[in-house]
Amino acid sequence: KLTDCAMDVSDAFAKLREQILIYRDSDNQNELRGGLNLVNTTNLSFFDAAQKSELFRLKGTFLNSLRGRRKANQAYCQSVQICPTFSKAWLSWGALCSTLAEIEIKTNSFSEAQKSSSAGKKPAQYLAQAMGCYLQAIQCGSREWDRINLPKCLWMLSWDGNNPGLLCQTLEARGADLPAFVWLPWVPQLLTSLGRIEARAVKSILKGLVMQYPQAIYYSLRAFYLERRDAERAHRGKPSSAHAQPTTAVMHAEELMSILRKSHPLLWSSLETVLEELIVRFRPSLEEELLTTMKALLQRATAQLDYFQSSHKGVVGTKAESTAVLSSFSKTLSRVSDKFFQSTTVSSADGGILNDNRAKKAKEFIRRYKNPFEKDFLKIVPKPNEVDSDGTSQPCLALSLIIERLNKWKQLLEAQISFILSSLPMQQVSPILSSISNEIPDLWSGACDTKQMSRSNELSPSSSSSSSAAAALAAFTVASSAVASAAFSEGVGGHFGGGTAALEIPGQYPPYI
């Protein structure tokens, strides 16, 4: 009989949940109360822990919509107590705590100085609870949606003020327990945090990334360290800060680099080799760099002239505006001249033949372009005392003349660069990079050995009559030719020979165990 058939518990729960969600999505207070009553009158004895936890989470959602935030907090607490691994409950509880913190902040309008005071402790407590819930949801769940609040957790750290407080302690206690890969999209933000109060908490997270995913973090960490170190050295060069101590960010970054070098010495050496080859071998020519500068200046000058013509009806403007514009262009063109045509000696102590070739090209570049550049640009911009009294005629002519000369140089450099080959064999440009490849796994033992495979099929009398053997031979021929072609194009095989170095491409380095 149909009446004797009992509905499965999972189906009954799915039906009940859909009915509750219909009430939850309504803006009517009566319907929200009806949904809450439906949850309260449900018999929970048939459901498992996760299903009970979901019902209490929905109860907290209804209470929150009905402005009963204290009872909603209790419902979320009971939900995670029933099933501590239910990530949705942790996310909903964290959202409630975050909402309470926002209400507290809007009500009191805290300033930056009040964040670290006793008045700012209540929002910090709510935010710390929300951060703990978000991080616990990531640890319990495997969905990408569970990790969406990670940047919000990093933003919350600003509420600790000038000294590490409850939020930094929460991140330090719970952040290091998360899987390291969840922090990979936020490596730039973590590196920036090394210079703030949360440096200690973030440092433990970055250590985990360095140990498990060194290749994913290496280039960002290296760039951050060199940038901060150079800025610190420039700051030390000032007389007022000659005895300044190294900053916290530089010290932490240097320590992380040291850990990476010690834990992954071979990988570090390979990455440095790749980076050095990219910087030295693939640097743009001086003509290409000058062309890029000319295009930027041309765009700036054209925009400035269009602004004058549209806002002042073809007149450049006041004398002060004209003088400021021409003075800015004069300084910019002088800096361009100093950058590209200043005669400097290129040291070949560490670069060898490459730096010698670069020095020869630089001397030829200066000999060819220096005098024409100075003649075209450094002598056409009028000085402030040469501007007409009304500030209209001579400056406008000078700006239009600058645009004309910039167009001429743009066309000249483009014609010169067009003679450069658009592509070169990798083995000719960089033999080291051409010897690096990602190893292609064989489909079977000896799959790429063409002669051995062909001979074995020739010696077997039954292989020629078998259609399956013929299909296997055809598949082998296609696969082997594809592998040989790929190896030849990468410079690791064919007539030129060359060995292979096992180096993982970025993002595919296996976790360190």
Side-chain angles (χ1 to χ4, degrees):
K1 298 180 180 180
L2 295 177
T3 55
D4 294 338
C5 297
M7 182 181 292
D8 186 71
V9 176
S10 60
D11 295 336
F13 175 77
K15 177 183 177 182
L16 175 64
R17 185 176 181 276
E18 291 299 325
Q19 292 176 348
I20 295 173
L21 291 179
I22 293 175
Y23 288 101
R24 188 199 64 176
D25 296 335
S26 175
D27 296 332
N28 193 335
Q29 296 288 324
N30 293 329
E31 292 188 5
L32 290 174
R33 292 190 183 93
L36 179 60
N37 292 332
L38 180 60
V39 175
N40 290 331
T41 57
T42 299
N43 187 0
L44 304 179
S45 58
F46 299 100
F47 302 125
D48 58 16
Q51 294 168 342
K52 292 178 183 178
S53 180
E54 171 66 6
L55 291 175
F56 275 99
R57 185 189 73 85
L58 293 173
K59 178 179 179 180
T61 303
F62 282 112
L63 291 171
N64 187 21
S65 301
L66 294 170
R67 306 291 181 180
R69 294 188 174 90
R70 178 175 297 180
K71 293 182 179 180
N73 186 65
Q74 295 175 356
Y76 289 137
C77 180
Q78 193 167 1
S79 176
V80 298
Q81 286 178 351
I82 294 174
C83 185
T85 59
F86 190 56
S87 60
K88 283 187 177 181
W90 288 108
L91 286 175
S92 300
W93 197 6
L96 174 63
C97 295
S98 179
T99 302
L100 294 174
E102 292 175 1
I103 294 173
E104 192 71 23
I105 292 171
K106 292 180 180 178
T107 303
N108 298 297
S109 301
F110 292 99
S111 62
E112 291 295 329
Q114 292 176 337
K115 287 183 179 180
S116 57
S117 62
S118 57
K121 287 185 177 180
K122 194 170 184 180
Q125 291 175 352
Y126 283 134
L127 291 175
Q129 179 68 22
M131 182 188 295
C133 291
Y134 290 146
L135 298 179
Q136 187 66 28
I138 297 172
Q139 191 170 2
C140 295
S142 58
R143 304 174 305 161
E144 187 175 355
W145 183 260
D146 298 329
R147 305 190 289 271
I148 197 172
N149 292 297
L150 269 180
K152 190 173 184 179
C153 294
L154 297 177
W155 168 83
M156 292 177 184
L157 297 170
S158 60
W159 270 93
D160 267 347
N162 299 324
N163 298 310
L166 185 60
L167 290 162
C168 291
Q169 295 174 6
T170 304
L171 181 63
E172 185 176 4
R174 296 178 177 268
D177 295 335
L178 299 179
F181 72 89
V182 303
W183 297 104
L184 288 177
W186 312 108
V187 167
Q189 288 76 11
L190 293 174
L191 292 174
T192 306
S193 298
L194 289 176
R196 297 197 289 264
I197 57 172
E198 64 268 21
R200 179 178 174 182
V202 170
K203 184 180 175 182
S204 61
I205 297 173
L206 289 173
K207 281 184 178 179
L209 289 174
V210 165
M211 296 299 295
Q212 297 186 35
Y213 302 96
Q215 190 165 339
I217 194 178
Y218 177 74
Y219 291 110
S220 299
L221 177 60
R222 183 182 186 275
F224 175 81
Y225 169 66
L226 294 178
E227 179 184 354
R228 293 302 178 93
R229 187 194 64 181
D230 294 343
E232 181 184 312
R233 288 179 179 177
H235 182 69
R236 286 183 184 179
K238 299 179 181 180
S240 58
S241 57
H243 302 286
Q245 296 296 326
T247 60
T248 305
V250 175
M251 292 190 296
H252 289 324
E254 186 176 5
E255 182 179 351
L256 291 172
M257 288 288 292
S258 177
I259 293 173
L260 193 149
R261 285 194 296 266
K262 293 178 180 178
S263 57
H264 306 279
L266 296 179
L267 176 65
W268 170 78
S269 177
S270 299
L271 292 175
E272 280 293 326
T273 302
V274 171
L275 190 61
E276 182 180 359
E277 286 291 300
L278 291 175
I279 293 174
V280 175
R281 303 277 185 173
F282 296 91
R283 182 177 178 180
S285 64
L286 293 172
E287 287 83 358
E288 291 173 328
E289 293 181 0
L290 182 58
L291 177 61
T292 303
T293 305
M294 292 292 101
K295 288 182 177 180
L297 289 175
L298 179 60
Q299 183 179 5
R300 174 185 165 190
T302 305
Q304 192 69 51
L305 186 60
D306 292 342
Y307 166 75
F308 281 141
Q309 292 178 349
S310 60
S311 60
H312 300 288
K313 297 180 180 181
V315 180
V316 172
T318 63
K319 181 177 180 179
E321 290 178 344
S322 306
T323 305
V325 170
L326 295 175
S327 176
S328 175
F329 271 100
S330 177
K331 292 179 181 178
T332 302
L333 291 169
S334 297
R335 287 196 298 267
V336 171
S337 177
D338 293 339
K339 176 183 177 182
F340 287 97
F341 306 113
Q342 188 177 10
S343 180
T344 57
T345 303
V346 180
S347 175
S348 60
D350 55 351
I353 299 175
L354 289 175
N355 274 344
D356 289 340
N357 294 334
R358 184 80 177 179
K360 293 179 181 178
K361 292 180 180 180
K363 291 180 181 179
E364 178 63 22
F365 177 82
I366 293 173
R367 185 191 64 81
R368 174 180 293 185
Y369 296 109
K370 181 178 180 180
N371 292 333
F373 185 89
E374 293 178 351
K375 181 180 178 180
D376 284 344
F377 292 109
L378 302 186
K379 298 178 181 180
I380 65 172
V381 180
K383 297 180 180 178
N385 56 2
E386 296 177 355
V387 179
D388 292 342
S389 58
D390 57 355
T392 57
S393 60
Q394 191 173 358
C396 185
L397 179 62
L399 188 57
S400 61
L401 188 57
I402 290 175
I403 295 175
E404 180 183 348
R405 300 289 174 83
L406 287 173
N407 274 315
K408 185 187 81 170
W409 275 80
K410 176 175 173 289
Q411 296 173 3
L412 174 66
L413 293 171
E414 286 178 346
Q416 184 68 26
I417 293 173
S418 64
F419 291 103
I420 301 176
L421 295 176
S422 59
S423 62
L424 289 171
M426 176 67 78
Q427 200 168 27
Q428 178 181 342
V429 179
S430 176
I432 295 178
L433 291 182
S434 67
S435 65
I436 296 175
S437 69
N438 198 30
E439 293 183 353
I440 303 175
D442 294 341
L443 298 177
W444 56 83
S445 179
C448 296
D449 193 351
T450 308
K451 295 181 180 180
Q452 181 179 359
M453 188 70 177
S454 301
R455 180 164 300 187
S456 64
N457 282 278
E458 290 173 0
L459 294 178
S460 177
S462 60
S463 60
S464 58
S465 60
S466 174
S467 60
S468 60
L473 179 60
F476 151 73
T477 304
V478 174
S480 60
S481 61
V483 172
S485 176
F488 180 80
S489 63
E490 292 293 335
V492 298
H495 300 289
F496 296 102
T500 60
L503 175 66
E504 293 78 11
I505 62 176
Q508 293 191 355
Y509 186 75
Y512 177 81
I513 300 177

